[in-house]
Amino acid sequence: MIIEQEEDKKQREIELAEKEKQQAEQLQELKKKWYYSVPPRFRESSFENFECANSKQKAVVEYLKTGKSAVIYGSNGTGKTHLAFATCRNQVEQGVNAGYVLAFDFFNKIRKSFSDGTTEDVMNRYSNYQLLVIDEIDKTQGTQTEFMYLYSLINERYNYMRSTILITNAKPDEFAAIIGQSALDRVASEGKVIDLTGENYRQRKSLHSLKKE
């Protein structure tokens, strides 16, 4: 009896070790896939190297670490895209399948899918991410049909309780007119509307470099 218990214990330990090994391999594969999908400029973007200008931005970082939904708006150069990639990176490091897409690229893929019959594949790809960031929606001139697919994507993610982060330069009322109040409400109701208006970091960095010269 004792021998059988010891053998069962050893077998469970072997199975547990194998499971942990598989999980570690899956995590490494997820990290690798994410790393090579990110544009070189943003591959090292993280919460650690985001320069918080004030306590408000520190609070934003702490919220984004939760991986919950959000609508982030603000002027150019305030670090919205940096935070988008930092959020995805943070989630990927925890084993969460996260993705980032420019609204322009999403609309372009939907447009092309009409001719090759891959619309469902495109929609499934973006709806299946556990966390998805959609950036620069206000800078995209999509057709009414393309915006309907964007709404369908947001609604699908809302129904399956998957986090979605929308990023824009437009203020909430302006953004609602672009994306539609229903789409905006589905994201905002599951998370926060975050105002990231502030100093233009890129301009500040350029001026600092000029002063050094």
Side-chain angles (χ1 to χ4, degrees), residues 31-163:
K31 288 180 178 180
K32 183 179 178 181
K33 182 181 177 182
W34 163 251
Y35 181 82
Y36 287 107
S37 73
V38 177
R41 180 177 296 279
F42 294 103
R43 278 183 184 162
E44 302 305 321
S45 295
S46 68
F47 291 133
E48 288 71 28
N49 58 31
F50 179 74
E51 296 183 17
C52 293
N54 49 53
S55 57
K56 180 181 176 181
Q57 290 187 353
K58 288 179 181 179
V60 169
V61 168
E62 290 305 310
Y63 174 77
L64 292 176
K65 286 180 180 179
T66 66
K68 295 180 180 179
S69 295
V71 177
I72 304 175
Y73 72 96
S75 48
N76 287 324
T78 55
K80 297 186 298 298
T81 301
H82 179 118
L83 286 176
F85 282 108
T87 301
C88 290
R89 177 176 181 159
N90 179 262
Q91 291 298 301
V92 167
E93 288 175 348
Q94 297 177 57
V96 174
N97 186 21
Y100 170 96
V101 66
L102 286 171
F104 175 85
D105 291 336
F106 172 73
F107 286 147
N108 199 33
K109 285 181 173 65
I110 287 294
R111 197 176 301 122
K112 288 181 178 179
S113 75
F114 295 151
S115 58
D116 59 20
T118 59
T119 306
E120 187 174 350
D121 293 337
V122 173
M123 293 295 288
N124 286 339
R125 174 186 174 184
Y126 292 110
S127 66
N128 287 334
Y129 283 114
Q130 290 166 280
L131 179 140
L132 177 66
V133 177
I134 308 175
D135 200 356
E136 296 190 350
I137 298 175
D138 57 301
K139 296 180 180 178
T140 301
Q141 297 297 320
T143 65
Q144 184 177 1
T145 299
E146 289 157 9
F147 269 102
M148 284 177 62
Y149 275 96
L150 178 61
Y151 168 77
S152 178
L153 171 64
I154 292 171
N155 188 58
E156 176 84 357
R157 296 183 58 77
Y158 172 81
N159 288 338
Y160 283 88
M161 296 181 289
R162 295 171 185 146
S163 296

